[in-house]
Amino acid sequence: MASIVRLQFNGGAVDRTLWPRLVAELRAAWLAAGVPARDVVVLVPHAGLLGVARGAFAQSEGWQPRVETLRTLAESLAPPQGTVADGPMLDRSIDRLAAASLLQREPLGRLWAKQDRRAFDAAVRDIVETAHALLETAHASVPHDRDAWWQAARAALPAIQGPGGTERLLARWALEWAAGATHEPAAALWILRPAAWVIIQAGGADPLAERLLAHGAAQGVAAWRVETDPDPKSPFDAVAVGPAPVLRHAHGLEEEAMAAALAVVRAVEAGQVPVALVAEDRLVVRRIRALLERTGVALADETGWTLSTTRSAARLMAVLRAAAQDAGRDAMLDALKAEQSDDDLLDTLEAAWRRERTPDADALAWWRAARGRLTDLGGGRGARRLGDWLRALERATPRLMSSLRADPAGRAVLAALRIEPVACGAVGHAFNASTPLDLAGFTEWVTATLEETSYLPAAPASPQVVITPLSHVPLRPFGAVVFPGCDETHLGRGASALGLLSEPTRRELGLPDAQARRERERLAFAQLLRLPWITLLRRTHDEAEALAPSPLIGLAVQARRRCHQPVPSDEAVQFPTTRIEPRPVRRPAPSMAEALPSRLSASSVEALRECPYRFFARVGLGLAQAIELETEPGKRDQGRWLHAVLHAFHAERRDAPSAGPAAEHRRLREIAQRALAEQQLDADAMLPFDAAFDRLAASYLDWLHAREAEGWRYACGEQARAIAPPELDGLQLDGRLDRIDRHRHGGAMVIDYKTGRTEALARRVKEPLEDTQLAFYAALLTDEPHEPPPRAIYLALDERKPPRAIEHPDPARSAAQLIEGLAADLDALRNGAGAPALGEGDVCEHCEMRGLCRRDHWADAT
């Protein structure tokens, strides 16, 4: 049996001389003990030290020891298990499926999942967290002691009876599930026999490393423990003699982020690289990273960000959303774009739908094939096991899979989901043994997996800034440290443990409790204070909530006072300032003399009359608001449908004699069903409109027959018209008229179908000169001789009320005045007059160009 030799390195600054001194002392100890360095295993506490430690040993003479963390050593000693594993796999995404499957095998579990799915899912998460915590502690025990540990754990759990019985029952269930586990990632460590074990301790002791060291020493293996932590009872006294850190406070998150970014940039400019940016408050660090990326510093992020926020993950989720049976056109278009389809038919299809037109036959055929492929993925076979879902996803989206494999974040997505050609071994068994999932369940599993997986982007070879958690700071010779988030909520509070075990039970079982977590955090913070050029930042408010400084800062300051060292003052952040002359935002009035079109529609003319700037944006810049292709049909779809139905009805009725009201009603109904299919509208979703159609059809036919008794007859519908009035100097007005009727004694009437509010239409025609649409349509008929002049009406169609004709009092006069005013406006624009933004009235309140004209920021706005 060998003894464990202790080496003390828990004093002094962590600078570039620390590791050469530590390496030299270790080599001297190995030489004195006759231990060959090439057969020594050196365990460092975290992955951030691998490069530092290996580099320090490489710069010294002689054979190099093996420098690893516990995880990297275990992964290098044995390949992944190739046999079926029982119990938890220590993989949260897989183990949640396994736990849910096991729970639902019991009648009460099935009932729970059916009655309260959210509570059931929360229980599954707690079971997995508890089982993992138990296994991690059990695996830190020597293998021959584990049976006794599991028996002691069973005895330590409280009785099931009484309040909280459900949680205690689930805790026992988690314990028994964990006790049956055969998967142990670190199993190979216990049979390894190096010439010597060396454990470098920093930021608290690791139970597995300590027991490996003791186990090796008991078997005669030479053992060294390098202790770098200060005394846990007074951790800040040992580091109080160093330079005082800089304490700064900001008011809010944005100010804190700017102060931290400024501190990092100044440290880089001073050559104090690499700079450690400590990421305990991930929200503020994300903002700091965004600010730093603008400066072009070489930055390495060891914490990464949630994989679900990457573009690759978003593309995969778009495909899964489109696989649902009720997915709308927007979801399908998003999925096809996510697959990076370069087919021109996709652009053609979307452009037609956004303009409310019917795509051509080739585009529709391509669309049906793509939709069938994705909907088959979602509902072709119903429920499937996880492995089958992953293989089906890969087969259904080959182009997406290929593009994901060509992208670093995409490869991380595929790795997180275990999408491989053939799933094998314990992981494959877990996939195939899981409870069958429907598409919603599979989508939830993918979402949860991507949300709990971090993506680490590739780091530059020589980073100037390293974003790292506090636990990875100890013993790394950073040139400077910037630590935002040093407030009471992010530092020193100690995170609550997850799972079903109380704090007393965790302590009895040897699991890390809140006190142990706080102690490790204190030691890591004390280690950080050994570094030079430290800036500690916090914010005083989180929105409306006031925040106090971290208690760890108070303890460090008290230690400096006890040691009679200078105490840093907590001052407000100061930013460099520059004088900026105010530049008020004025109403825009751009010139568009060179951007006038050769033709105008009714909506363009209306935009010019309502607000010239709106006309400039729509016509001069060619901007348009994209129509949302809703999953559920709305009023817009109803209007298009009714237009198509009435146009087809009157076209057929004009060519065939009337067969009576009942026959006409049946014909309207048949045409309505046909139009649903032609416009590819969901019959189920259109059911509310379709159910009221019979009432609308009956009242419309009554109105039509009464109108025909007055002498009016349908002439044509959906007719494109264009005129070029001489007053407009060659500019053409064009539009499409819903319907033109003619009277038996002469004269024409323009009819515009409307499904909107009748009151709004009535208000429009009360001021004839303000009603652009009917005046414009009447102008399109001025090239034909009419006696009397043409008339124009809005025909309001409402399934609850009879059709109502709202007539313009004098469309011919309004048409003439419209052209006269339009000619004057266009002449002014051609001569360089501006197109001002008016910023008035209801039009401005709902204008889609409001953000472009910056109406809400005008200095002269009232």
Side-chain angles (χ1 to χ4, degrees), residues 202-215:
D206 185 294
L208 176 57
E210 291 295 325
R211 291 189 178 114
L212 275 175
L213 191 69
H215 180 66

Side-chain angles (χ1 to χ4, degrees), residues 7-187:
L7 298 180
Q8 295 287 340
F9 275 83
N10 51 9
V14 174
D15 54 20
R16 300 187 186 280
T17 67
L18 172 68
W19 278 94
R21 289 187 288 109
L22 191 153
V23 168
E25 189 163 338
L26 281 175
R27 286 194 178 277
W30 298 339
L31 181 63
V35 174
R38 63 186 178 187
D39 297 327
V40 174
V41 174
V42 178
L43 292 177
V44 295
H46 54 81
L49 281 175
L50 286 175
V52 177
R54 289 170 178 171
F57 278 107
Q59 291 175 4
S60 64
E61 297 180 356
W63 289 95
Q64 306 302 307
R66 186 171 188 172
V67 180
E68 304 280 358
T69 65
L70 285 168
R71 180 173 179 176
T72 60
L73 180 60
E75 290 175 349
S76 66
L77 291 176
Q81 289 182 336
T83 59
V84 173
D86 296 321
M89 292 286 301
L90 291 176
D91 184 298
R92 284 180 173 80
S93 61
I94 296 176
D95 288 344
R96 277 201 301 268
L97 288 177
S101 176
L102 291 173
L103 269 183
Q104 292 186 75
R105 292 178 188 175
E106 303 296 330
L108 287 178
R110 288 194 298 272
L111 183 62
W112 194 6
K114 183 177 180 180
Q115 292 181 343
D116 192 345
R117 186 70 199 190
R118 182 174 296 181
F120 178 83
D121 291 341
V124 168
R125 287 193 296 270
D126 287 340
I127 287 172
V128 171
E129 294 295 339
T130 302
H132 285 193
L134 291 167
L135 277 173
E136 288 172 6
T137 303
H139 290 168
S141 303
V142 181
H144 59 70
D145 293 337
R146 291 184 188 166
D147 288 340
W149 188 89
W150 286 112
Q151 290 299 327
R154 292 183 178 95
L157 290 186
I160 298 174
Q161 292 77 16
T166 300
E167 288 75 11
R168 291 196 289 270
L169 176 62
L170 293 175
R172 286 191 174 273
W173 195 91
L175 186 145
E176 296 302 332
W177 184 44
T182 58
H183 178 73
E184 183 181 353

Side-chain angles (χ1 to χ4, degrees), residues 333-500:
L333 290 173
D334 288 344
L336 294 175
K337 293 174 186 176
E339 291 184 323
Q340 293 189 337
S341 174
D342 55 359
D343 200 315
D344 293 338
L345 292 175
L346 177 59
D347 296 333
T348 302
L349 195 73
E350 182 174 13
W353 280 337
R354 299 292 183 200
R355 293 178 174 84
E356 298 183 316
R357 299 173 184 169
T358 302
D360 58 37
D362 290 341
L364 284 175
W366 180 85
W367 164 260
R368 292 189 184 100
R371 183 181 181 88
R373 172 171 56 85
L374 292 179
T375 53
D376 286 346
L377 165 66
R381 300 181 185 176
R384 304 171 182 167
R385 300 192 184 276
L386 183 57
D388 296 332
W389 271 115
L390 294 175
R391 287 186 287 270
L393 177 62
E394 189 173 15
R395 288 194 302 268
T397 57
R399 179 175 290 185
L400 175 64
M401 293 295 122
S402 176
S403 62
L404 290 180
R405 290 188 175 97
D407 173 66
R411 290 192 292 271
V413 168
L414 297 180
L417 299 179
R418 289 87 174 169
I419 294 181
E420 299 294 343
V422 178
C424 61
V427 173
H429 172 72
F431 282 177
N432 294 320
S434 63
T435 300
L437 303 169
D438 58 10
L439 176 63
F442 175 63
T443 304
E444 289 177 4
W445 178 82
V446 172
T447 301
T449 300
L450 297 179
E451 285 181 351
E452 66 186 14
T453 305
S454 294
Y455 170 60
L456 298 178
S462 300
Q464 297 170 297
V465 181
V466 178
I467 301 176
T468 188
L470 176 61
S471 60
H472 284 198
V473 171
L475 301 187
R476 298 175 72 176
F478 290 112
V481 177
V482 177
F483 192 168
C486 292
D487 54 69
E488 60 180 335
T489 63
H490 295 99
L491 178 64
R493 188 174 186 177
S496 300
L498 301 176
L500 300 162

